[in-house]
Amino acid sequence: MNKLLSVKNLTKVYYNNKDEIEAIKDISFDLYEGEFVSIVGPSGCGKSTLLNILTNMDTLTCGKINYADNLKLGYMLQSDSMLPWKKVIDNALLGLEIKKDKKEENVNYVIDLFKKYGLNEFRNKYPFELSGGMRQRVALIRTLALKPDILILDEPFSKLDYQSRLKVSDDVYKIIKNENKTALMVTHDLAEAISISDRVIVLSNRPCIIKNIYKIKRDKNGTPIENRKDKNFAYYYDLIWKDLAYHE
């Protein structure tokens, strides 16, 4: 597999007038083409800070991040952030509009995604007319419109109720796999991380270090809902739960 991203000894320290706060300490990991990797850790440990650094929304203090040549990142936030006065299709095209890349080829690509993933009949509706799960699918299509190599997902299902969360995680997983994308996701939900991921990175309390990286082995790879029934699911859940329950 091609290595798309390599993080080496990444450290982040925040300074104020009185002292310094070390948020992230000496983190190293790689991300390979086609992988779905999740990051879990205690609340406030620095997971979102790490994503912000990877997407250049924040700066590292020391360490190094190596990206594959011409790599493009797409960042999907917790909220779908749809503009209520714009139609759904116009929300999906917003990134292209901002990038001044709203050419016919790219617009047709987005429309094809709407057709492929059951949203075409809703494309001229307004956001309030869609369910939370459908809005998240639109938000994902908006991210895919820019044709990123890696999707960075910051708790993309956290605003949904449990039943919708299960269904949408299946939908999002299928879309990402069908479009041959690589994904790096932060989540608080262990079951979600184990069921959707090829690997799970477990962070400690702040300043966060990597406690463990688990390669998730299954009898058969399926959708996230199907993977929850795998015989190894409980084994990984117990391991990761212990890492988090006894964090340093």
Side-chain angles (χ1 to χ4, degrees), residues 36 76-78 136 153-161 164-166 168-170 172-173 185 187 192 196:
F36 199 121
M76 184 173 167
L77 303 173
Q78 293 181 25
Q136 285 302 93
L153 311 172
D154 189 358
E155 298 199 64
F157 317 122
S158 62
K159 303 291 186 183
L160 304 173
D161 62 76
S164 297
R165 187 169 183 146
L166 289 177
V168 175
S169 68
D170 256 31
V172 168
Y173 176 83
M185 179 177 77
T187 178
E192 186 172 273
I196 204 169

Side-chain angles (χ1 to χ4, degrees), residues 174-215:
K174 289 173 184 174
I175 293 171
I176 288 173
K177 289 301 180 182
N178 286 345
E179 300 304 314
N180 298 312
K181 298 300 180 182
T182 304
L184 182 66
M185 179 177 77
V186 157
T187 178
H188 277 94
D189 190 323
L190 301 192
E192 186 172 273
I194 296 163
S195 65
I196 204 169
S197 304
D198 301 301
R199 289 188 293 144
V200 177
I201 298 172
V202 185
L203 302 181
S204 72
N205 203 8
R206 194 173 69 184
C208 71
I209 61 170
I210 292 179
K211 296 197 73 174
N212 277 303
I213 299 179
Y214 294 99
K215 182 174 176 59

Side-chain angles (χ1 to χ4, degrees), residues 19-172:
D19 54 19
E20 60 183 47
I21 300 170
E22 193 172 35
I24 299 172
K25 183 177 181 178
D26 200 30
I27 281 183
S28 299
F29 67 90
D30 299 321
L31 183 64
Y32 293 88
E33 187 176 9
E35 277 194 305
F36 199 121
V37 174
S38 288
I39 299 172
V40 300
S43 294
C45 75
K47 299 184 294 295
S48 292
T49 299
L50 176 59
L51 295 192
N52 287 339
I53 292 171
L54 293 178
T55 54
N56 293 317
M57 295 174 67
D58 200 348
T59 56
L60 54 78
T61 303
C62 60
K64 194 170 184 180
I65 303 172
N66 292 318
Y67 302 93
D69 291 343
N70 302 313
L71 186 81
K72 292 173 67 176
L73 300 177
Y75 201 176
M76 184 173 167
L77 303 173
Q78 293 181 25
S79 168
D80 59 63
S81 301
M82 294 178 70
L83 302 178
W85 61 88
K86 281 185 174 286
K87 291 181 179 180
V88 168
I89 184 65
D90 294 322
N91 270 283
L93 295 170
L94 193 57
L96 291 172
E97 192 174 318
I98 291 169
K99 294 279 189 182
K100 300 188 182 336
D101 200 19
K102 198 176 168 183
K103 52 192 177 187
E104 184 178 1
E105 173 192 343
N106 292 333
V107 172
N108 288 337
Y109 173 64
V110 171
I111 291 171
D112 286 343
L113 290 174
F114 269 74
K115 291 176 181 176
K116 193 188 276 190
Y117 299 113
L119 289 166
N120 195 46
E121 64 183 290
F122 302 98
R123 76 188 201 202
N124 289 313
K125 303 285 188 183
Y126 288 91
F128 75 89
E129 299 179 271
L130 272 61
S131 68
M134 292 172 73
R135 289 168 64 116
Q136 285 302 93
R137 274 188 278 160
V138 174
L140 177 59
I141 288 173
R142 181 180 59 206
T143 308
L144 290 172
L146 299 172
K147 299 181 180 176
D149 301 292
I150 299 176
L151 287 163
I152 305 290
L153 311 172
D154 189 358
E155 298 199 64
F157 317 122
S158 62
K159 303 291 186 183
L160 304 173
D161 62 76
Y162 181 72
Q163 186 174 356
S164 297
R165 187 169 183 146
L166 289 177
K167 176 67 169 63
V168 175
S169 68
D170 256 31
D171 291 342
V172 168

